[in-house]
Amino acid sequence: MRTKPLFCTLTLVCCLVFPQAGAGQGTAEFPDSAQALRTRLDARVTASFEKSFGEILQSISRSQKLRIILDRRIDPATVIKCQAQNESVRTLLQKITSMANVAFCEIRGNIYVGPKATCHWLASLCELHQQSLKERLSSNTGQLDAKRLLTASDFQWEYLSDPTDLIESLVTSCGLSVSNPHLLKHDRWNANGLSNLPISQKLTILLAGFGLTFEWNIANKSIELRPFPSSVVLKTTIQKSLSESNLDKIKSALPDLKIKSSDGTLIAEGRYEDIDRLNRLLAGERVSTSTTSTSENRFTLSVPKAPAKDLLEAVANSRKLTLSASPEATELWTKQIGVNVKEVTLEELLDVITKACGLKWTINDDELEISE
């Protein structure tokens, strides 16, 4: 039987928009800042793909010199057929990730491709951990090498690297340890790397694919692995006075960001991406104000009364997750509960359902696990 050959072509239409080494836009090899990455994602390409998702990401990474990290829970073998005619690299990534039912986010000069919920919060979590580390180090001077912990650097790993070894090597290099490494699953990774990140953000990215994050314990010189959070809210204060009309315009442009103005000060709460857009808008930049809070990422549900198990099964099926429960949980999830939510994330909906009957949830790989 004859098979249709797979093909992959990627032609650069204009390379002049690429950042040049030594021009403050990152190295010629990979971007090392958010601005350098945005410049490279603005490059125009013409592309035609009919290949596995993983191979397409590798082609884009090689041809456009981009650090692209694929979440270990995403199947790289999914075949994607896509064409782009003189479109930006960003638009191309949006197309192919949408076809694979995943998302991507930008963290300094790096791109992370993974589940939509993970990508929605990952950059915010990276920033939160960096802020937390700075605060803890300021009150624990002398115990650890603060400069080493806070300084950004590249990080590379070889083909068939064990992520547990990578995480522990990062931690031990800064005089720390992992208190509960048994939560990491055995895996082997392709060669890849991260550009210009401090240890807090490296760890956040490496752990995300396991559905995990961590908590600093500076006093004990360790980190403790924790479940990836259902939401992350950052808060920032900006010394800026705006007229009421200009403030209304910014609120309209950034609807997901809570902004208050008082005595020449703006107080903003929300995701890292929206706070970053706010700062760039105030600096006079022209920025995209699109949001990832799309209806396909969110749930609206009104159920007067139903067994929690039925609701969890419906949620799991909608995200193609396998549902499992501990023996103790199966005795509790038969409880009849009511749910009335609008435009909430997957994590927020799971919190509502499980808390109503005294349960907890975690997502590991493609499995939704319910426990007491």
Side-chain angles (χ1 to χ4, degrees):
M1 181 178 70
R2 296 186 65 184
T3 59
K4 183 177 179 180
L6 299 179
F7 65 95
C8 171
T9 61
L10 180 61
T11 305
L12 182 63
V13 174
C14 177
C15 64
L16 296 180
V17 296
F18 278 179
Q20 300 298 313
Q25 298 292 329
T27 66
E29 185 66 15
F30 294 106
D32 63 357
S33 68
Q35 178 58 53
L37 178 59
R38 287 194 294 269
T39 300
R40 207 158 288 192
L41 289 176
D42 286 340
R44 314 298 291 186
V45 296
T46 292
S48 179
F49 293 111
E50 187 174 352
K51 211 160 187 170
S52 75
F53 184 53
E55 290 175 309
I56 294 173
L57 290 178
Q58 289 177 359
S59 294
I60 296 174
S61 175
R62 286 192 300 265
S63 63
Q64 309 304 304
K65 300 298 181 185
L66 295 171
R67 288 285 196 201
I68 302 179
I69 312 301
L70 180 61
D71 189 294
R72 61 183 290 277
R73 295 167 292 183
I74 304 304
D75 183 5
T78 302
V79 175
I80 301 293
K81 185 175 181 179
C82 177
Q83 289 187 339
Q85 183 67 40
N86 192 28
E87 297 177 355
S88 70
V89 178
R90 184 188 301 280
T91 299
L92 177 58
L93 282 171
Q94 289 170 339
K95 278 187 175 182
I96 63 171
T97 52
S98 177
M99 290 178 180
N101 196 30
V102 297
F104 74 92
C105 62
E106 302 162 36
I107 304 166
R108 289 203 183 185
N110 306 274
I111 297 171
Y112 190 90
V113 178
K116 295 174 182 177
T118 300
C119 290
H120 190 73
W121 300 114
L122 187 58
S124 299
L125 188 58
C126 282
E127 181 65 19
L128 184 67
H129 281 318
Q130 183 70 351
Q131 291 179 5
S132 175
L133 179 58
K134 289 178 180 178
E135 292 171 1
R136 290 164 191 253
L137 287 173
S138 66
S139 59
N140 289 271
T141 56
Q143 293 189 19
L144 293 166
D145 186 343
K147 183 177 180 181
R148 187 182 185 93
L149 282 164
L150 297 174
T151 300
S153 63
D154 293 347
F155 183 59
Q156 305 261 109
W157 58 87
E158 303 298 326
Y159 178 63
L160 294 182
S161 291
D162 185 336
T164 301
D165 292 340
L166 297 179
I167 291 165
E168 291 190 325
S169 69
L170 272 175
V171 172
T172 56
S173 70
C174 293
L176 302 169
S177 64
V178 183
S179 63
N180 51 347
H182 62 277
L183 295 182
L184 294 168
K185 295 184 178 181
H186 177 72
D187 206 356
R188 293 293 179 184
W189 286 359
N190 288 326
N192 210 328
L194 294 166
S195 293
N196 197 34
L197 294 173
I199 184 175
S200 60
Q201 300 189 355
K202 291 171 186 171
L203 289 173
T204 305
I205 292 171
L206 295 178
L207 289 168
F210 295 91
L212 296 171
T213 188
F214 66 96
E215 182 72 23
W216 296 108
N217 190 334
I218 299 300
N220 292 332
K221 296 184 179 181
S222 67
I223 65 168
E224 181 181 354
L225 303 185
R226 300 279 185 85
F228 195 92
S230 59
S231 64
V232 182
V233 177
L234 301 175
K235 185 175 181 179
T236 188
T237 300
I238 304 169
Q239 299 301 318
K240 185 73 173 180
S241 180
L242 292 176
S243 66
E244 190 171 335
S245 60
N246 283 337
L247 181 60
D248 288 341
K249 288 178 182 178
I250 287 180
K251 286 182 177 180
S252 177
L254 300 169
D256 292 334
L257 192 63
K258 295 180 180 178
I259 307 174
K260 295 180 181 179
S261 177
S262 176
D263 298 327
T265 299
L266 295 179
I267 301 172
E269 293 184 47
R271 294 192 311 132
Y272 173 80
E273 288 88 345
D274 289 323
I275 291 176
D276 178 60
R277 290 186 184 102
L278 172 62
N279 282 311
R280 288 161 55 205
L281 277 171
L282 295 174
E285 286 188 46
R286 196 176 209 178
V287 302
S288 167
T289 54
S290 61
T291 172
T292 59
S293 299
T294 59
S295 58
E296 70 174 338
N297 292 331
R298 296 183 172 262
F299 292 82
T300 294
L301 184 64
S302 181
V303 178
K305 187 173 287 189
K309 177 186 177 183
D310 292 353
L311 298 177
L312 290 168
E313 286 178 342
V315 173
N317 289 336
S318 73
R319 288 296 183 264
K320 298 181 179 179
L321 299 170
T322 301
L323 180 64
S324 66
S326 66
E328 296 79 10
T330 58
E331 296 178 5
L332 297 174
W333 71 355
T334 56
K335 180 181 177 180
Q336 299 274 334
I337 64 171
V339 174
N340 186 15
V341 294
K342 185 176 181 180
E343 289 292 302
V344 297
T345 64
L346 170 64
E347 292 82 0
E348 290 168 338
L349 178 58
L350 289 172
D351 282 344
V352 169
I353 296 173
T354 54
K355 287 178 180 178
C357 46
L359 297 173
K360 299 177 182 178
W361 66 270
T362 56
I363 295 179
N364 292 311
D365 294 326
D366 293 323
E367 185 173 11
L368 171 58
E369 301 174 358
I370 308 299
S371 59
E372 188 178 11

